[in-house]
Amino acid sequence: MLLFFWEKTGKPYGLLKPTALSKIPGRFQLHQEALPHLPVPPLQQTLDRYLLALQPIISEEELNHTQELVAEFRKPGGVGERLQKGLERRAKKTENWLSDWWLKTAYLEYRLPVVVHSSPGVVLPKQDFLDRQGQLSETLPVEYLGGKPLCMNQYYQILSSCRIPGPKRDSIVNYAKGKKQSRHITVVHNFQFFELDVYNSDGSPLTTDQLFIQLEKIWNTSLQTNKEPIGILTTNHRNSWAKAYNNLLKDKTNKESVRTIEKSICTVCLDAPMPRVSEDIYKSRVAAQMLHGGGSRWNSGNRWFDKTLQFIIAEDGSCGLVYEHAPSEGPPIVALLDHIVEYTKKPELVRSPMIPLPMPKKLRFNITPEIKNDIEKAKQNLNIMVEDLDVKVMVFHQFGKTFPKSEKISPDAFIQLALQLAYYRMYGHVCATYESASLRMFRLGRTDTIRSTSVESLKFVQSMDSPDKSDQEKADLLRRATQAHRQYTDMAIRGNAIDRHLLGLKLQAIEDLVSMPELFMDTAYAVAMHFNLSTSQVPAKTDCVMCFGPVVPDGYGICYNPMDEHINFAISAFNSCADTNAARMAHYLEKALLDMRILLQSTPKSKL
């Protein structure tokens, strides 16, 4: 869509048609080239920090065993040094030693369905539509992107891109970079797909009124719901979908329709309303809608889950989006959202041209008995996943980020510590915890891991309910633990965390065809990589919350957006695991946050 880049003066930097993006005056390219390369951390430093990270989560006996393996791995002239040198050579030769490897191992070679297991959803505030015009006008695609110039690469990845299933590894196609730019979006209503051109013949974008007229035409020609939900195929296990995809594309009409979806700027899903539910579970239901569409009976067929960006607007006013994770992290998506939300509040100053617009093109599919069979199998698998996902959206109203800030504590560290306390009170022990840290300070940077479970956090959670410790001692341990978290965060965003470095060493061993070092075959490594708590802070100006599924069968997926006076949480777990429960976690989390506030308020700030 049209992108506005604002200079500090607030004046438009220029109206950029998508075709002009690659010819942007040098400053964005210069900005890109000025970004430093991701460093390869020193080997000894990573190994020391690895042992430190293991301390709170494994037994002393296991730790002793791992210390021996680390000692072996770090010997001068040993396997560790050889792999480290290989990584350093790779870093010299590439723009980013990690990004290609990460894209392949974390996303493209991951074979579970993208639905629930990979693609995050975003719940936006409910819109009160008075009529159909409300629902359709709210679907404005991205027209403007303001704020600070983030890596141009990120925006190229989000729009006009799509994931393509493959038998062993998927790929991503991106039409934002070619000579012929995409001029259309895909609109889905009642499982029927349409190509909607969003530019006039003179290259100007359609106005809100024009878009509304076009969306209404789509709406009125897709009222029947008896169509095969072809989009449901994209919810299946990646190997099964790759087979069905090849099968689907044998037909010329189908191939053209699929290519049109893949090339579109983004997808807009006009959803049927969900069954009415009480206010307290409404947000949780919407989160599930955004993640998976509610199952084959509801809106899951009203999607193309391989599409990078899908905006979802339901008749009942619930709205949000779901995005395919391979090309982008949460923050750029949310930055985009913030601008869309701001943009829709502004009155439109452009007059609509009087020229009548052509009817949006309906995308046809020829459904063979074999394709129908693939759809049925995908439906069954999806419905099992839908039934298994337990999602709870909790709005914590008692305080927001203003309180920890008033105590000179990082709000993120405070929330992470509350998660540690909640988990410890529920299970009597701590677990490996993943919090994503952005590496976007570096060229093509993606993420690394902040390991929130530390020696300091363990000391705090153990002390919190102990009668042997005074409140002052507990408060000091709390502050120490938040400082340790802050330090780990700073280390991670500077490219000095341990997880991607260890992964790099492991992948280097695979690439060099050497036998896998014992260090990576160790039980402790498996425990360290089994993240029962997979968490992410995705702050936004908009009062929204992102949500995603757990990364292990017996874990939680927890995302949060700290606002000034409240915090939005989305907590997910699997019903098939008897030990996890999203509502129970929400209850313990709320108690932990409140108890930590009481503790700080009842003790003077120490001289830490």
Side-chain angles (χ1 to χ4, degrees):
M1 314 321 297
L2 285 197
L3 311 180
F4 277 100
F5 291 95
W6 297 97
E7 280 187 316
K8 288 195 180 79
T9 59
K11 296 193 184 83
Y13 181 65
L15 190 57
L16 303 174
K17 293 182 192 165
T19 45
L21 278 176
S22 54
K23 306 186 190 79
I24 286 166
R27 68 178 195 160
F28 290 113
Q29 302 305 332
L30 288 171
H31 165 79
Q32 192 62 9
E33 281 160 24
L35 293 172
H37 287 258
L38 180 71
V40 177
L43 180 65
Q44 306 301 344
Q45 169 186 294
T46 291
L47 295 173
D48 288 342
R49 287 173 178 170
Y50 175 53
L51 289 171
L52 207 55
L54 287 174
Q55 225 172 299
I57 57 173
I58 62 173
S59 69
E60 209 170 326
E61 192 184 346
E62 285 174 310
L63 189 63
N64 290 336
H65 175 64
T66 304
Q67 280 169 330
E68 288 169 23
L69 297 182
V70 166
E72 182 60 34
F73 189 78
R74 72 181 352 159
K75 275 183 183 164
V79 65
E81 250 182 38
R82 280 206 309 279
L83 297 176
Q84 176 76 1
K85 286 206 169 77
L87 268 191
E88 287 165 354
R89 275 197 301 275
R90 182 182 167 90
K92 281 199 177 77
K93 287 197 309 241
T94 55
E95 239 189 314
N96 183 313
W97 64 265
L98 174 65
S99 56
D100 280 355
W101 268 350
W102 181 246
L103 183 65
K104 283 175 192 158
T105 56
Y107 299 114
L108 302 182
E109 287 169 1
Y110 187 67
R111 299 287 81 196
L112 286 177
V114 291
V115 180
V116 173
H117 298 286
S118 174
S119 299
V122 178
V123 178
L124 282 166
K126 185 171 196 267
Q127 305 295 315
D128 294 318
F129 299 137
L130 301 172
D131 55 17
R132 173 119 330 116
Q133 176 144 11
Q135 183 190 1
L136 299 183
S137 301
E138 200 62 39
T139 61
L140 274 183
V142 192
E143 291 201 31
Y144 129 156
L145 201 62
K148 58 174 192 271
L150 283 171
C151 170
M152 284 305 287
N153 182 52
Q154 290 286 342
Y155 296 108
Y156 276 139
Q157 306 312 324
I158 295 168
L159 301 174
S160 308
S161 59
C162 196
R163 183 163 168 159
I164 309 289
K168 290 200 177 91
R169 178 199 289 167
D170 293 355
S171 54
I172 295 171
V173 286
N174 189 320
Y175 294 94
K177 295 173 176 166
K179 286 197 171 68
K180 202 165 183 301
Q181 302 289 325
S182 305
R183 298 172 55 91
H184 69 281
I185 63 171
T186 305
V187 179
V188 209
H189 181 232
N190 283 335
F191 310 154
Q192 293 155 72
F193 288 79
F194 292 82
E195 176 184 351
L196 170 53
D197 204 327
V198 289
Y199 290 94
N200 288 300
S201 51
D202 65 356
S204 64
L206 297 195
T207 63
T208 313
D209 292 344
Q210 287 180 305
L211 278 172
F212 171 66
I213 291 164
Q214 295 299 77
L215 288 167
E216 201 168 38
K217 287 179 190 169
I218 288 172
W219 183 280
N220 291 330
T221 50
S222 53
L223 295 171
Q224 71 284 26
T225 55
N226 58 354
K227 296 289 187 252
E228 281 294 332
I230 195 86
I232 219 126
L233 291 171
T234 64
T235 68
N236 218 344
H237 186 281
R238 302 308 294 176
N239 293 356
S240 313
W241 168 216
K243 280 190 198 126
Y245 181 85
N246 287 337
N247 190 12
L248 182 68
L249 265 62
K250 283 175 190 163
D251 177 281
K252 188 168 171 282
T253 303
N254 295 348
K255 190 173 186 172
E256 277 177 18
S257 295
V258 168
R259 289 286 181 263
T260 302
I261 295 169
E262 289 167 353
K263 287 178 181 176
S264 63
I265 297 164
C266 64
T267 301
V268 171
C269 312
L270 301 175
D271 275 12
M274 284 301 291
R276 289 193 103 94
V277 291
S278 63
E279 205 53 41
D280 58 330
I281 64 162
Y282 171 77
K283 275 200 160 124
S284 303
R285 173 64 67 83
V286 178
Q289 268 301 294
M290 298 307 143
L291 279 170
H292 54 55
S296 65
R297 284 185 53 215
W298 300 105
N299 292 301
S300 300
N302 222 38
R303 306 275 185 278
W304 194 266
F305 280 103
D306 286 2
K307 198 72 195 126
T308 306
L309 200 52
Q310 300 193 91
F311 293 99
I312 300 160
I313 298 97
E315 262 182 82
D316 59 11
S318 51
C319 58
L321 63 83
V322 61
Y323 75 95
E324 201 287 299
H325 209 326
S328 169
E329 260 64 64
I333 300 282
V334 167
L336 200 60
L337 254 187
D338 279 338
H339 291 295
I340 295 165
V341 171
E342 281 309 300
Y343 186 82
T344 56
K345 290 176 187 168
K346 292 178 184 157
E348 191 168 39
L349 303 172
V350 190
R351 295 273 306 271
S352 294
M354 300 307 287
I355 323 142
L357 294 160
M359 177 69 203
K361 184 183 166 197
K362 185 168 186 172
L363 303 181
R364 305 280 170 192
F365 289 96
N366 293 324
I367 310 287
T368 62
E370 205 178 342
I371 293 168
K372 185 157 172 48
N373 189 32
D374 288 335
I375 290 173
E376 287 312 310
K377 279 192 272 190
K379 276 185 190 178
Q380 287 166 9
N381 293 339
L382 171 77
N383 291 339
I384 292 166
M385 266 198 305
V386 166
E387 285 305 308
D388 195 19
L389 189 72
D390 174 19
V391 192
K392 169 81 178 160
V393 171
M394 172 178 93
V395 181
F396 177 78
H397 282 295
Q398 283 81 350
F399 59 85
K401 59 186 176 191
T402 312
F403 169 69
K405 280 181 174 175
S406 73
E407 291 285 336
K408 307 242 181 317
I409 291 173
S410 142
D412 184 56
F414 189 87
I415 294 166
Q416 284 289 329
L417 204 53
L419 286 168
Q420 290 296 314
L421 180 56
Y423 193 92
Y424 182 75
R425 283 171 165 175
M426 286 170 83
Y427 298 102
H429 59 87
V430 294
C431 66
T433 303
Y434 182 113
E435 180 189 359
S436 43
S438 171
L439 290 177
R440 286 174 68 201
M441 270 170 62
F442 303 100
R443 203 181 305 184
L444 302 183
R446 293 293 300 255
T447 61
D448 207 327
T449 310
I450 300 165
R451 286 187 169 265
S452 302
T453 309
S454 62
V455 172
E456 293 83 358
S457 74
L458 179 60
K459 279 183 185 156
F460 164 68
V461 299
Q462 285 172 334
S463 80
M464 189 62 180
D465 299 324
S466 158
D468 308 336
K469 292 267 194 285
S470 70
D471 280 358
Q472 189 60 57
E473 285 173 302
K474 291 175 190 179
D476 287 351
L477 288 169
L478 186 160
R479 287 180 182 281
R480 256 186 217 117
T482 57
Q483 283 164 357
H485 184 274
R486 186 67 250 168
Q487 282 161 357
Y488 202 118
T489 302
D490 289 344
M491 178 178 95
I493 62 177
R494 287 182 167 77
N496 271 305
I498 63 172
D499 279 73
R500 302 297 180 265
H501 187 200
L502 290 170
L503 174 72
L505 293 164
K506 186 181 170 182
L507 293 174
Q508 189 66 48
I510 294 168
E511 200 160 278
D512 293 351
L513 299 173
V514 296
S515 63
M516 186 53 68
E518 283 287 305
L519 185 69
F520 300 117
M521 310 299 278
D522 179 27
T523 323
Y525 186 74
V527 172
M529 297 303 157
H530 188 93
F531 294 106
N532 291 93
L533 283 176
S534 170
T535 73
S536 185
Q537 173 183 239
V538 184
K541 296 190 197 100
T542 310
D543 195 4
C544 63
V545 65
M546 194 169 269
C547 43
F548 48 78
V551 296
V552 294
D554 56 342
Y556 294 94
I558 303 179
C559 197
Y560 50 96
N561 176 13
M563 308 294 282
D564 287 342
E565 301 306 331
H566 67 277
I567 309 167
N568 296 329
F569 287 99
I571 301 167
S572 67
F574 291 121
N575 290 318
S576 52
C577 175
D579 298 331
T580 56
N581 182 300
R584 196 164 163 257
M585 171 53 84
H587 168 79
Y588 275 86
L589 178 57
E590 185 165 13
K591 187 170 174 0
L593 286 162
L594 292 171
D595 288 354
M596 283 165 62
R597 176 171 72 167
I598 291 165
L599 179 65
L600 289 173
Q601 286 177 334
S602 66
T603 51
K605 292 191 179 85
S606 74
K607 304 287 185 290
L608 274 184

